[in-house]
Amino acid sequence: MTAPIPTSKRKYDLNFARWVRDNVAGGDKMNMCMQCGTCSGSCPIGTEMEDGPRKLFMMIRAGMKEEVLSSNSMWECTSCYRCVVRCPRGVPVTYLMQGLAALAAKEGYAPKVENNYFSKFFWMSASKLGKTDERLVPTAYYFSFGFVEGIKRSLANLKIALNMFKAGRMHIGMPHKIRDTKGLQAILAKAREIEDRS
Amino acid sequence: MSEETFEHKPGAYLCGGCGIKDALDMDALEQAVSGGMMVSNVKQSDSFCSGEGYETIKKDIESGEVNQAIIAGCSPRVMVQEFNALGGQIFRANLREQVIWQQPANHEDTQALATDNLRMATTQARKAEPPQAHWDGVTSLKLLVVGGGITGLKAAREASKTGAEVVIVEKTDKLGGWAAKWSKFIPETAPYREPQDNPVPALIKEVEEDDNITVMFNTIVERTEGGPGEFSCRLQTGSDTKWDVFGAVVLATGWRPYESEAQEKFGIGKTDGVITDIEMEEKLAAGELDGVKNIVFIIPGDTDRMVYSSGVSDKVAIKQAMQMVENDSDVMAYIIHEHFRSHGTAEEFYRSAQEKGIIFQRGEVKKIDSDRTVTVDDELLEQEIPMSGIDLVVISTGMVPNSTNIDLEPSEKNPETLCDDINPKAPIFTVNGEEVEDPDADIKSCREKAGEEPPLPGGPLLNLQYRQGPHVPILANGFADSHYICFPYETRRTGIYTAGPVRRAMTATEAMDDAMGATLKAIQAMREANEAKAVHPRAGDLSFPEFGLNICTKCRRCTVECPFGAIDEDPETDYPMINPTRCRRCGTCMGACPVSTISFKNYNPQQVSDMVSAGTEDCPPDKPRILVLACENDAYPAMDMAGIARREANPYMRVIPVRCLGSVTLLWVKTALEKGYDGIMLLGCKSGDDYQCHFVKGSGLAQERMGKVGETLQSMMMEEERVQVNEIAIADSERVTEILNTFGKQIEEIGLNPFKGF
Ligand code: SF4
Ligand code: SF4
Ligand code: SF4
Ligand code: SF4
């Protein structure tokens, strides 16, 4: 069983560092980081991140749970793996980013971040249909900001949608799905079971 | 000393190999040798270093026809063993590295340079006699090891393995010192990732079972007289004293913990659970660490302390953190540092620590509260982070060298030597109306110059009965001086070798390596002393300074300036009196003597003075000549390397290798100026606290002496720039050419020596 995340109200809580080390994927390797900054410097999204991987790791070491979990950095990560390839100390930066995002979502920090909505609908479509639907995911995402905002965002992307129709990348009618959705559900159930086991 | 006169039978061997004969007119050289140089036995060959050529020289020497072979060809630094094996006295004229490899072929200046090099070599031979052993009889081959800690134990064992008899003198009643208390060691063998078992108990057992080794507990060395091969030591055990004679000494007196006010700010000794790394070692050994889950190691960045930890405390922190994590995987260990130093194989140890989950954090610790909350100013996050919930805080200390015996009162006799500056300034004072240096004032004044460091606590370790005082010289920060850049165990007291933390902060593992090195040196010193030979760097040399006391003015320069304390004043006559086995044959005394009355059989003031003259004998009045006196240890090899790299050099240089810049007498400079040299360049090793001079003080003393040449030049109406001194390291082959070529241009601009041709 995964240990419960420490709930202390302290800004700096060493137990958080310990928890990340023991519970987040790649957390045990985070120690190898020597703060060279190669990851943050290589990251194509680096400028969009509030902190960047290097600083994020430093904050974890200092036990800054609040700041870490409410950071946008791990949500901006596109999993391009540039940091992993370049890190001189073999830190699996991308896994850590994903692990931290999952942790933040679980702890209820994530909704503050826009990307989380997108991830949510992306996952909804992917897990139900076995595919991401080009109409469903963006529409649900746009309208999650409210009705007026939804219309606005949809209209702003209308031209792209029409072009996609012409190119046969979007269609009318029921969303496509994979043949064996039952099998997919079984796989996901098994995955969840394995995750809970550890 | 045999007084028979030596009959010079020189033979000159002109080697044409390695391209020499393509670049020089060999027959013209031969004519010059047999004509002006008056060496009738001249031979040529395409290779004298092997085959027929080699046999020719050998036959000449064996038949007694020749006893001094002047070989003109490659540098005196190559083929040394081959030519020495010939038996006679060997002289070399460097035609290869410093002539044909640096000058255009078949040029008149190149030919002139080669001829002068040969002329200088024949002159050298004419003024040289074969050195002879200056004492005989068997000297002691017993080794004294002072200190029974890990360094001393290892030294004793290594010496015993070579068959030497060893006495360990230990101040306390136990062997093993600090290291015996450690539960684990920093790794010494690959892959350098895990703490290793403490080797001390096994080492103690080996020593106890070793018949060659005697251990004297509760004993100190109360007095030491003599020199290598004949150190007479009075060993004091309680109220008992006993004299013993030793061949050499390994000084392994170790260290004591560093204490400072800075540590108080962390609350060591006051706050519960805030301890030093030394106390931590004791706790680890005693296994008193149950219940410690969060532990913080602090490596403070204060430079005062770092002098005494020098990368040691960093490795200790890793080791202790690792021991904690290994014992209990639930432990969270932080190492907070300002400058982490894990050089060499410790990089692996550091990596391994990270893999084991130890967290390294860079920052300055601002304070530690009474509940052990450590506030760190984190440089990377730019905020002060309070780390709470810490069970134990361990603070790095340092190792203060035991270069004195702190149990003793400071010595009355010459306490100044404690802070012996490396380059004593020599003020002027007069004896018999002559200006000389005050032997007693110089060290004081240099101390004032250095900002009056307070003398260290404690008395001398060996209580040396040397003119230069009772201490083994101590240099920066109280460490026993050793030639730490190039020859780590060499001290300024021949036959006494420092090893372990007394000469720099080091780990127990490093101390064992140190012990091995120093012991091998000590054994060499004993054996060489036994054969009347010199030790490093002129190992095997039999030559010896002789004092022409008939003209000695008792000025004491030689006694004061000998870097090794080899010369005393005769208590009755006040004349210089040498302790032969202490002498390293550097010639610094020779360079110091204002009346040039100190000489070696094969190296003396008149000889080199004549060589200087020989270098400019045939100089046309319109050509410049530059005299280069180059230290044979570093500068001369650097110039050879410039030749190997085929760097074009000024063709007007005439180079004479010297044993040490310290041996350069002002006579040579005067001769050079009178004989029409236009510039003089002295090339020696780095001087000062971070010296590389093989004879420690020679280079510095030479610079000191040359400082006074300016006045002489002015009185001769010559420019001061004509005499310069430069420091060259052995790898400076590019720089040396640059310096010399720039000097050459500078001299051209100043113009030729007005005395030329007179
Ligand atoms: S590249 Fe690797 S070592 Fe460098 S800061 Fe990023 S995670 Fe740390
Ligand atoms: S994987 Fe993520 S964090 Fe790493 S470089 Fe790519 S976007 Fe940046
Ligand atoms: S100065 Fe050098 S050569 Fe002279 S006595 Fe001292 S060690 Fe020997
Ligand atoms: S030998 Fe020379 S240096 Fe030494 S005391 Fe005599 S005159 Fe002075």
Side-chain angles (χ1 to χ4, degrees):
Chain A
M1 255 310 286
T2 307
I5 186 164
T7 52
S8 134
K9 288 274 169 293
R10 283 203 303 268
K11 182 171 180 198
Y12 305 99
D13 182 358
L14 295 189
N15 290 321
F16 178 63
R18 180 198 291 264
W19 193 90
V20 171
R21 182 191 76 180
D22 295 342
N23 295 298
V24 173
D28 55 332
K29 290 268 163 34
M30 189 190 69
N31 264 320
M32 297 300 293
C33 171
M34 62 180 185
Q35 292 289 302
C36 68
T38 301
C39 50
S40 301
S42 307
C43 179
I45 319 294
T47 47
E48 302 297 316
M49 291 183 181
E50 279 161 16
D51 303 299
R54 179 198 65 78
K55 193 168 172 205
L56 212 55
F57 299 159
M58 201 62 215
M59 286 155 65
I60 295 171
R61 290 179 188 185
M64 296 162 70
K65 178 184 159 193
E66 285 290 323
E67 275 88 340
V68 170
L69 293 185
S70 48
S71 171
N72 78 340
S73 307
M74 52 273 199
W75 297 101
E76 296 289 345
C77 171
T78 61
S79 302
C80 72
Y81 283 89
R82 250 196 223 199
C83 47
V84 177
V85 169
R86 292 188 178 173
C87 172
R89 307 288 286 185
V91 177
V93 185
T94 313
Y95 297 167
L96 269 151
M97 293 304 250
Q98 290 162 354
L100 288 169
L103 176 62
K106 207 155 130 195
E107 290 293 311
Y109 286 85
K112 286 184 209 150
V113 187
E114 277 187 20
N115 308 39
N116 187 33
Y117 298 142
F118 185 82
S119 306
K120 224 154 82 186
F121 297 120
F122 180 93
W123 181 242
M124 213 158 75
S125 169
S127 59
K128 293 253 156 53
L129 309 173
K131 279 190 170 189
T132 53
D133 186 86
E134 297 79 9
R135 294 161 300 156
L136 214 59
V137 178
T139 318
Y141 175 59
Y142 296 155
F143 282 88
S144 64
F145 298 97
F147 184 73
V148 179
E149 186 67 20
I151 299 281
K152 246 196 217 160
R153 291 198 184 203
S154 303
L155 285 173
N157 288 300
L158 195 60
K159 204 167 164 213
I160 298 175
L162 287 172
N163 282 337
M164 283 175 78
F165 265 117
K166 268 187 219 151
R169 308 298 305 161
M170 228 186 228
H171 66 283
I172 308 182
M174 286 302 281
H176 290 176
K177 56 178 172 181
I178 57 166
R179 240 171 275 148
D180 185 11
T181 45
K182 270 216 195 84
L184 175 67
Q185 294 314 319
I187 292 171
L188 290 174
K190 187 76 188 168
R192 233 169 261 126
E193 188 201 314
I194 292 170
E195 193 182 288
D196 286 346
R197 221 192 282 150
S198 62
Chain B
M1 236 181 288
S2 77
E3 293 298 330
E4 297 156 34
T5 44
F6 173 73
E7 196 194 335
H8 293 264
K9 291 186 217 157
Y13 302 91
L14 313 184
C15 188
C18 298
I20 297 173
K21 70 170 180 212
D22 304 327
L24 296 171
D25 179 346
M26 299 307 282
D27 294 333
L29 275 183
E30 180 169 340
Q31 262 168 24
V33 176
S34 52
M37 298 177 211
M38 294 182 298
V39 177
S40 49
N41 189 345
V42 194
K43 289 184 175 137
Q44 289 193 42
S45 161
D46 279 353
S47 155
F48 275 117
C49 57
S50 62
E52 215 176 293
Y54 189 79
E55 291 306 318
T56 313
I57 313 181
K58 202 166 167 193
K59 234 189 287 137
D60 285 357
I61 291 176
E62 275 168 4
S63 69
E65 213 171 299
V66 166
N67 57 13
Q68 294 184 316
I70 300 149
I71 302 165
C74 46
S75 160
R77 296 190 42 88
V78 295
M79 299 293 163
V80 180
Q81 273 170 352
E82 287 81 349
F83 289 141
N84 281 352
L86 288 167
Q89 247 189 316
I90 305 294
F91 300 86
R92 311 279 294 271
N94 189 343
L95 302 185
R96 194 178 73 174
E97 280 81 349
Q98 294 189 20
V99 181
I100 64 152
W101 284 355
Q102 296 205 47
Q103 305 296 341
N106 303 311
H107 189 281
E108 72 174 297
D109 286 340
T110 311
Q111 186 74 20
L113 174 60
T115 314
D116 284 348
N117 278 0
L118 242 166
R119 188 180 293 113
M120 290 194 286
T122 51
T123 311
Q124 183 184 23
R126 198 171 303 129
K127 286 291 157 89
E129 293 185 9
Q132 287 154 5
H134 269 240
W135 66 89
D136 45 37
V138 176
T139 57
S140 171
L141 290 170
K142 187 153 77 173
L143 180 68
L144 172 65
V145 174
V146 185
I150 186 166
T151 318
L153 291 169
K154 186 78 183 167
R157 270 296 287 157
E158 290 300 315
S160 164
K161 281 186 212 162
T162 72
E165 206 185 320
V166 187
V167 173
I168 301 179
V169 165
E170 166 57 41
K171 198 165 77 162
T172 70
D173 58 359
K174 266 203 291 296
L175 287 176
W178 287 102
K181 302 181 186 174
W182 308 157
S183 54
K184 289 271 178 187
F185 264 43
I186 291 157
E188 83 175 294
T189 47
Y192 310 102
R193 298 175 70 85
E194 307 290 335
Q196 292 183 349
D197 289 340
N198 186 340
V200 176
L203 201 50
I204 293 176
K205 194 154 168 277
E206 279 177 32
V207 165
E208 282 169 350
E209 286 169 0
D210 192 324
D211 293 336
N212 286 340
I213 304 174
T214 314
V215 183
M216 295 178 72
F217 289 107
N218 303 308
T219 304
I220 60 166
V221 183
E222 201 256 327
R223 189 182 168 90
T224 304
E225 294 171 4
E230 51 182 24
F231 284 113
S232 282
C233 301
R234 193 156 71 200
L235 309 176
Q236 185 183 344
T237 314
S239 53
D240 294 346
T241 56
K242 167 185 159 201
W243 284 94
D244 206 344
V245 180
F246 299 97
V249 183
V250 170
L251 200 64
T253 44
W255 59 285
R256 55 185 187 273
Y258 170 83
E259 281 159 16
S260 81
E261 287 159 25
Q263 294 178 339
E264 266 175 42
K265 119 174 165 199
F266 295 129
I268 294 179
K270 276 185 265 153
T271 311
D272 204 30
V274 178
I275 60 174
T276 66
D277 51 1
I278 299 167
E279 291 165 324
M280 180 65 182
E281 277 304 335
E282 285 161 6
K283 279 189 191 290
L284 278 166
E288 288 169 354
L289 292 155
D290 286 348
V292 173
K293 294 289 175 198
N294 286 328
I295 182 164
V296 170
F297 294 86
I298 298 172
I299 306 172
D302 50 324
T303 38
D304 273 1
R305 187 197 64 86
M306 290 210 296
V307 166
Y308 299 111
S309 83
S310 188
V312 177
S313 44
D314 317 65
K315 294 177 216 167
V316 170
I318 296 181
K319 185 198 66 158
Q320 295 180 343
M322 252 191 213
Q323 283 180 270
M324 290 300 292
V325 181
E326 300 275 84
N327 287 346
D328 177 356
S329 61
D330 211 21
V331 166
M332 194 80 176
Y334 286 83
I335 295 178
I336 300 173
H337 58 92
E338 277 174 71
H339 322 273
F340 199 79
R341 288 175 295 178
S342 58
H343 44 253
T345 54
E347 177 67 15
E348 284 304 318
F349 201 33
Y350 161 70
R351 232 176 236 267
S352 158
Q354 281 187 318
E355 283 168 16
K356 290 186 199 307
I358 292 156
I359 292 182
F360 291 80
Q361 201 156 351
R362 181 161 178 197
E364 187 191 341
V365 172
K366 288 288 178 198
K367 61 173 179 163
I368 300 174
D369 300 336
S370 54
D371 67 347
R372 292 182 297 274
T373 296
V374 178
T375 304
V376 189
D377 184 3
D378 190 307
E379 250 178 55
L380 297 167
L381 290 177
E382 295 178 314
Q383 38 191 296
E384 289 200 359
I385 298 170
M387 302 171 74
S388 50
I390 310 291
D391 303 311
L392 191 63
V393 180
V394 180
I395 302 190
S396 294
T397 55
M399 312 165 81
V400 177
N402 284 334
S403 52
T404 57
N405 182 347
I406 45 162
D407 300 339
L408 300 179
E409 287 299 311
S411 137
E412 282 303 315
K413 195 188 160 215
N414 216 351
E416 305 294 339
T417 359
L418 266 182
C419 301
D420 188 359
D421 186 84
I422 197 75
N423 287 329
K425 287 270 174 206
I428 304 298
F429 108 126
T430 52
V431 169
N432 299 336
E434 287 243 357
E435 273 189 351
V436 290
E437 288 148 23
D438 171 5
D440 299 316
D442 57 0
I443 300 163
K444 255 182 243 152
S445 71
C446 87
R447 233 183 85 190
E448 272 153 28
K449 189 194 80 199
E452 192 73 25
E453 272 182 55
L456 296 167
L461 293 170
L462 300 174
N463 195 9
L464 299 172
Q465 302 303 303
Y466 279 50
R467 192 203 179 285
Q468 269 88 338
H471 289 278
V472 174
I474 294 163
L475 206 59
N477 302 305
F479 287 101
D481 182 27
S482 72
H483 197 298
Y484 68 90
I485 293 176
C486 316
F487 315 105
Y489 321 109
E490 296 290 346
T491 72
R492 273 179 269 167
R493 298 294 172 257
T494 312
I496 301 174
Y497 297 91
T498 49
V502 71
R503 62 170 203 90
R504 72 166 173 83
M506 63 177 75
T507 66
T509 315
E510 288 170 309
M512 286 196 285
D513 287 348
D514 234 44
M516 284 195 265
T519 305
L520 291 176
K521 281 286 185 183
I523 286 164
Q524 187 199 26
M526 297 197 284
R527 292 188 181 167
E528 297 282 69
N530 204 9
E531 295 173 19
K533 288 177 180 164
V535 293
H536 167 91
R538 294 190 60 82
D541 188 1
L542 280 173
S543 74
F544 206 76
E546 292 167 37
F547 296 74
L549 295 184
N550 49 342
I551 58 165
C552 165
T553 61
K554 305 185 185 176
C555 74
R556 298 178 171 192
R557 280 193 197 188
C558 53
T559 48
V560 171
E561 294 192 358
C562 170
F564 305 101
I567 316 173
D568 288 326
E569 285 106 26
D570 186 318
E572 273 158 37
T573 63
D574 212 22
Y575 277 123
M577 190 183 73
I578 191 148
N579 291 278
T581 61
R582 294 182 197 166
C583 174
R584 304 254 190 119
R585 285 72 157 173
C586 60
T588 299
C589 48
M590 179 173 116
C593 183
V595 293
S596 297
T597 190
I598 304 178
S599 61
F600 296 79
K601 282 259 184 302
N602 56 1
Y603 183 59
N604 50 68
Q606 198 51 51
Q607 175 199 42
V608 180
S609 180
D610 288 355
M611 288 168 76
V612 171
S613 309
T616 186
E617 209 173 285
D618 269 351
C619 178
D622 59 335
K623 293 260 182 180
R625 282 290 179 266
I626 293 166
L627 177 65
V628 181
L629 296 167
C631 158
E632 66 180 10
N633 297 298
D634 270 28
Y636 196 84
M639 292 169 78
D640 272 358
M641 276 191 283
I644 293 167
R646 305 294 197 279
R647 280 197 199 94
E648 192 161 337
N650 184 317
Y652 306 120
M653 297 188 307
R654 298 297 178 261
V655 185
I656 300 178
V658 296
R659 290 189 178 185
C660 172
L661 272 203
S663 69
V664 172
T665 90
L666 287 179
L667 173 72
W668 303 344
V669 176
K670 242 169 71 194
T671 307
L673 292 172
E674 282 167 9
K675 293 288 172 183
Y677 280 93
D678 308 285
I680 302 166
M681 174 65 83
L682 273 65
L683 297 176
C685 302
K686 174 94 194 56
S687 62
D689 277 2
D690 54 348
Y691 63 87
Q692 293 181 23
C693 175
H694 291 52
F695 296 104
V696 187
K697 295 206 295 193
S699 171
L701 284 164
Q703 298 185 32
E704 189 55 36
R705 294 175 196 150
M706 291 308 137
K708 291 171 194 143
V709 171
E711 295 158 30
T712 317
L713 284 164
Q714 273 175 347
S715 71
M716 294 170 81
M717 308 286 280
M718 290 215 265
E719 297 76 7
E720 279 187 48
E721 294 79 33
R722 287 193 192 272
V723 181
Q724 292 186 13
V725 190
N726 255 294
E727 290 177 345
I728 296 289
I730 196 158
D732 282 344
S733 80
E734 210 171 326
R735 218 183 113 230
V736 78
T737 317
E738 215 178 278
I739 287 174
L740 288 168
N741 290 349
T742 312
F743 185 55
K745 280 204 201 86
Q746 211 179 339
I747 294 298
E748 248 168 64
E749 278 160 27
I750 302 175
L752 297 185
N753 180 343
F755 289 91
K756 217 183 237 323
F758 280 96

